[in-house]
Amino acid sequence: MRKLNWKKVIAGTLSAVMLLSVTACGSANGKNESASTENNKKNLTKITFCLDWTPNTNHTGIYAAKALGYYEDAGLDVEIVQPPENGAATMCASGQAQFAIEAQDTMAAAIDSDNPLGITAVAGLIQHNTSGIISRKGDGIDSPKGLEGKTYSTWESPIEQATLKTVMKDEGADFSKVKLIPNNITDEPAALKAKQTDAIWVFYGWGGINATVEGVDCDYWNFKDIDPVFDYYTPVMIANNDFLKDSPDEAKAFLAATEKGYQYAIDNPKKAADILIEGDNTGSLKGSEDLVYKSQEWLSKQYVADADNWGVIDETRWNNFYTWLAQNKLTTKDLTGKGFSNEYLPSSK
């Protein structure tokens, strides 16, 4: 029988005991940390935020605020979701989402009734209307008058068509001479290159930048540059009215954290674009990284533009557009002065 080295046995036993103690302690600490994390999460206010479309550079500040912990620091647990078939405004008004993305023009229908949806625009994501008409370079559609005799892809929206009619009239052109076809286009530059249409309404920060990325030479003009009444807010962040009434502090905290997210995107376009791409769980941005980077670089200069702070809604511009809607009988009620508030923004303090 081999003689045992009791010193080694004792030392080994002591080591085993110490290891078990450390393991037990570590396990306990791990459980405590896990429980602490879970408790912290339970203490956060749950916020559901509904997008208006698949993730894009309009939304970057929201994704940045979430990824960088700005929402959590503000005591919020924010979930970003896709819009249902009946739209983000309906989801927000029903209370299924506390915040969502809309646009001033499309939300007019939601508040133009005896029983309006319970939503309020609380921030402009982009300070000015960056939408306009894109067309093939050299086709003569470098101004509204050039649309005469050309094919335009329409969403068949009364406000959309009235807008075109107005800017054409401003230049002495006749909207009735435009050939209208349904807009089922997903890639505007490719559709123009293939001559599926002659003109398309786009948001320059995505559709216009995409023309550059795809190497398609295009002409483009902004609606706001033709007629300032069309410098309305698109997109906007809306909030559920009951949530604003019952939880004003949480609403203000959410907007303050979101402002920090957009400021990060302004200061760090490339890093912010990477955060957006990483946060996109729809897969829609896969293969479009170059577009996202170039779009972010351009749009980061538009979030605040010439305003004093991110998100602020200019009362005069908001009212001018809603007055125009009423004057052109595009709403049944005069919505001037309705539908927005700046009081939840950090700049309102």
Side-chain angles (χ1 to χ4, degrees):
M1 181 181 290
R2 187 175 59 183
K3 187 176 180 180
L4 293 176
N5 185 331
W6 289 106
K7 287 185 179 179
K8 287 186 177 181
V9 171
I10 294 171
T13 302
L14 289 173
S15 297
V17 170
M18 290 174 66
L19 180 60
L20 286 170
S21 298
V22 170
T23 302
C25 183
S27 177
N29 286 341
K31 287 180 180 178
N32 289 337
E33 287 174 7
S34 177
S36 177
T37 301
E38 190 62 31
N39 286 335
N40 286 339
K41 193 165 185 179
K42 286 180 180 178
N43 291 331
L44 299 177
T45 300
K46 180 66 188 298
I47 298 290
T48 299
F49 188 98
C50 184
L51 300 179
D52 56 335
W53 202 250
T54 52
N56 58 66
T57 46
N58 285 343
H59 312 143
T60 306
I62 300 155
Y63 279 87
K66 181 176 172 67
L68 297 172
Y70 298 157
Y71 289 135
E72 190 171 347
D73 290 345
L76 308 172
D77 176 18
V78 176
E79 180 185 11
I80 303 170
V81 301
Q82 287 290 292
E85 287 187 11
N86 58 352
T90 302
M91 183 174 181
C92 186
S94 70
Q96 293 175 290
Q98 286 70 48
F99 294 92
I101 296 180
E102 249 289 346
Q104 186 183 353
D105 54 340
T106 54
M107 76 174 285
I111 60 176
D112 180 36
S113 74
D114 292 331
N115 296 296
L117 291 185
I119 56 173
T120 297
V122 291
L125 296 188
I126 300 169
Q127 188 54 218
H128 292 282
N129 184 353
T130 60
S131 70
I133 298 298
I134 194 170
S135 61
R136 283 181 299 277
K137 187 80 173 177
D139 274 13
I141 315 179
D142 53 356
S143 72
K145 187 171 178 60
L147 285 167
E148 284 188 337
K150 299 297 196 303
T151 299
Y152 168 74
S153 296
T154 177
W155 296 303
E156 300 177 350
S157 157
I159 293 177
E160 168 209 15
Q161 294 186 11
T163 300
L164 282 168
K165 183 177 181 179
T166 298
V167 295
M168 290 184 72
K169 185 178 180 181
D170 287 347
E171 293 199 347
D174 186 353
F175 177 70
S176 68
K177 294 181 180 179
V178 180
K179 181 183 177 182
L180 303 177
I181 62 172
N183 188 342
N184 53 11
I185 294 166
T186 56
D187 187 329
E188 295 93 352
L192 290 171
K193 186 176 182 179
K195 297 191 175 180
Q196 296 174 15
T197 187
D198 297 326
I200 314 167
W201 186 325
V202 299
F203 287 86
Y204 187 82
W206 196 260
I209 297 297
N210 196 27
T212 303
V213 171
E214 294 187 13
V216 179
D217 289 335
C218 293
D219 284 321
Y220 172 82
W221 44 267
N222 277 315
F223 286 106
K224 71 177 180 64
D225 294 338
I226 306 299
D227 192 328
V229 77
F230 298 120
D231 194 13
Y232 55 86
Y233 285 87
T234 176
V236 294
M237 184 180 295
I238 59 173
N240 175 277
N241 285 351
D242 288 337
F243 178 76
L244 292 177
K245 179 183 177 182
D246 297 338
S247 307
D249 292 340
E250 287 80 359
K252 290 176 181 179
F254 177 83
L255 284 167
T258 303
E259 180 185 48
K260 288 180 66 177
Y262 276 95
Q263 188 60 52
Y264 181 87
I266 291 168
D267 297 335
N268 307 277
K270 173 64 166 58
K271 291 180 180 178
D274 284 331
I275 288 174
L276 174 65
I277 293 168
E278 179 65 26
D280 171 28
N281 60 4
T282 69
S284 62
L285 298 179
K286 188 176 182 180
S288 299
E289 289 82 1
D290 194 26
L291 170 58
V292 175
Y293 292 137
K294 286 183 169 59
S295 172
Q296 191 63 60
E297 182 66 36
W298 187 86
L299 204 56
S300 290
K301 298 176 179 65
Q302 309 303 319
Y303 292 138
V304 175
D306 55 356
D308 292 332
N309 303 93
W310 173 84
V312 65
I313 294 174
D314 184 277
E315 182 178 2
T316 299
R317 283 167 44 210
W318 181 279
N319 288 340
N320 283 347
F321 181 65
Y322 273 177
T323 297
W324 177 84
L325 289 183
Q327 290 172 343
N328 285 271
K329 303 189 185 310
L330 294 164
T331 54
T332 61
K333 300 179 182 300
D334 186 352
L335 303 177
T336 304
K338 300 181 184 301
F340 80 98
S341 172
N342 285 315
E343 68 177 285
Y344 300 95
L345 291 169
S347 58
S348 68
K349 294 178 181 178

